[in-house]
Amino acid sequence: MKTKATLIGFTAILMWSFLALMTAASGTMPPFQLSAITFAIGSLPGILLFMARPERLKELRQPPKVWLAGVGGLFGYHFLYFTALRNAPAVEAGLIAYLWPLLIVVGSALLPGERLGWHHLVGALCGLAGTALIVGKNGFAFDPAYSLGYFTALLCAFTWAAYSLISRKFEKVSTDVVTGFCLATSALSLLCHLALETTVWPDTTAQWAAVIGLGLLPVGLAFYVWDYGVKNGDIQILGVSSYAAPLLSTLILIIFGFGEISVRIGLSCLLITGGAVLAARDMVFRKSERAT
């Protein structure tokens, strides 16, 4: 059961790997507008399920702390991420924001029934090193002038890590409630868009298809399966495996002609894959023992 849930959670990482490609293909829509539309689309599967099975609507009746954690995680992460990118170079801000897998692995030691081993920490650090090779291909230049952007990027990392870890503590809360989180995030993003941005609509059918694809997968279904995975699977393995997202995203961009393969990418692949295998050592050995 735990292995199955972990694999289901990993599909979120696979879907997030297409985020860069789909975002690039969606045109020049401002980030909060794109967030408002895609999260609205992401809530549609849940809404259809509620229409088919109205009795599940009771799952939305949750304590305020559940709603605060869920909406704070989804909206807070995106708000802080967009703020970071507006106030710091994308490479440095992106790397700081991508500390969240490491924070999940370390923070998991605070969860009941979890134990942080050396292999979890080393695996996470290998993943971070591999990610640094990808996002920092032209080097890093941390400038104090961008302190606000760096700080919000760090808050962004802590926000997603906290959301994932707190979700584990709410393991008895049905994943149906993610539909409500998506709707609330869409509404808050719309308010930010109206206050901060100029509306820009897609120009082509292909761009609309990319927007819809974003809403159905990386900004939709991914959050449902991630919720299920962190609640029922191995959260430490999921944390380390999350470093596969920037690697897979880069490989997908290369496949579609937006980049070239290099030694740096190969080394990143080894670091991230090796780190994930090391972190998953306990799960692999448990399966081997059961097989014998």
Side-chain angles (χ1 to χ4, degrees):
M1 175 64 180
K2 191 172 186 178
T3 300
K4 178 182 178 182
T6 303
L7 293 174
I8 290 174
F10 184 74
T11 63
I13 300 169
L14 296 178
M15 284 184 269
W16 288 331
S17 301
F18 286 88
L19 184 63
L21 178 65
M22 289 184 173
T23 301
S26 66
T28 57
M29 188 181 295
F32 281 116
Q33 181 188 356
L34 184 61
S35 179
I37 293 174
T38 52
F39 271 104
I41 295 172
S43 69
L44 291 179
I47 292 174
L48 293 175
L49 178 62
F50 288 146
M51 292 173 63
R53 301 180 62 182
E55 69 276 8
R56 297 183 74 128
L57 281 168
K58 69 178 185 297
E59 301 295 345
L60 297 179
R61 293 197 293 268
Q62 300 294 338
K65 61 183 179 181
V66 173
W67 283 95
L68 180 62
V71 178
L74 295 188
F75 176 74
Y77 172 83
H78 289 85
F79 179 84
L80 290 167
Y81 185 71
F82 294 152
T83 302
L85 291 184
R86 283 182 173 148
N87 291 277
V91 170
E92 287 79 7
L95 181 62
I96 294 172
Y98 229 87
L99 286 171
W100 65 261
L102 178 61
L103 294 174
I104 287 177
V105 173
V106 174
S108 66
L110 302 175
L111 296 174
E114 296 292 347
R115 181 180 61 85
L116 181 63
W118 66 268
H119 53 290
H120 295 123
L121 191 56
V122 173
L125 290 173
C126 286
L128 180 60
T131 300
L133 282 176
I134 294 173
V135 301
K137 59 182 179 181
N138 296 318
F140 299 99
F142 290 99
D143 187 334
Y146 300 118
S147 296
L148 175 60
Y150 299 152
F151 179 67
T152 51
L154 185 61
L155 286 180
C156 173
F158 273 98
T159 296
W160 191 254
Y163 165 72
S164 300
L165 293 168
I166 292 172
S167 293
R168 180 58 169 260
K169 300 193 74 172
F170 294 144
E171 58 184 346
K172 294 183 179 179
V173 176
S174 172
T175 297
D176 290 337
V177 76
V178 175
T179 301
F181 298 162
C182 288
L183 283 171
T185 300
S186 175
L188 291 171
S189 297
L190 177 60
L191 292 176
C192 288
H193 165 64
L194 295 175
L196 302 171
E197 298 174 337
T198 299
T199 301
V200 177
W201 296 107
D203 295 322
T204 66
T205 302
Q207 289 179 359
W208 273 113
V211 171
I212 294 171
L214 278 169
L216 291 177
L217 296 174
V219 192
L221 181 60
F223 293 114
Y224 294 88
V225 295
W226 181 254
D227 182 82
Y228 183 83
V230 296
K231 286 177 177 176
N232 301 284
D234 191 317
I235 194 169
Q236 294 168 333
I237 292 177
L238 285 173
V240 176
S241 298
S242 297
Y243 281 118
L247 172 63
L248 293 174
S249 179
T250 301
L251 293 176
I252 289 168
L253 289 172
I254 290 172
I255 291 172
F256 282 87
F258 290 94
E260 296 181 358
I261 196 69
S262 65
V263 174
R264 174 179 53 83
I265 297 299
L267 182 57
S268 298
C269 183
L270 288 175
L271 283 168
I272 293 172
T273 304
V277 171
L278 181 62
R281 187 188 69 166
D282 291 342
M283 186 174 74
V284 173
F285 284 165
R286 282 199 302 267
K287 291 182 69 176
S288 299
E289 290 170 0
R290 285 198 297 268
T292 56

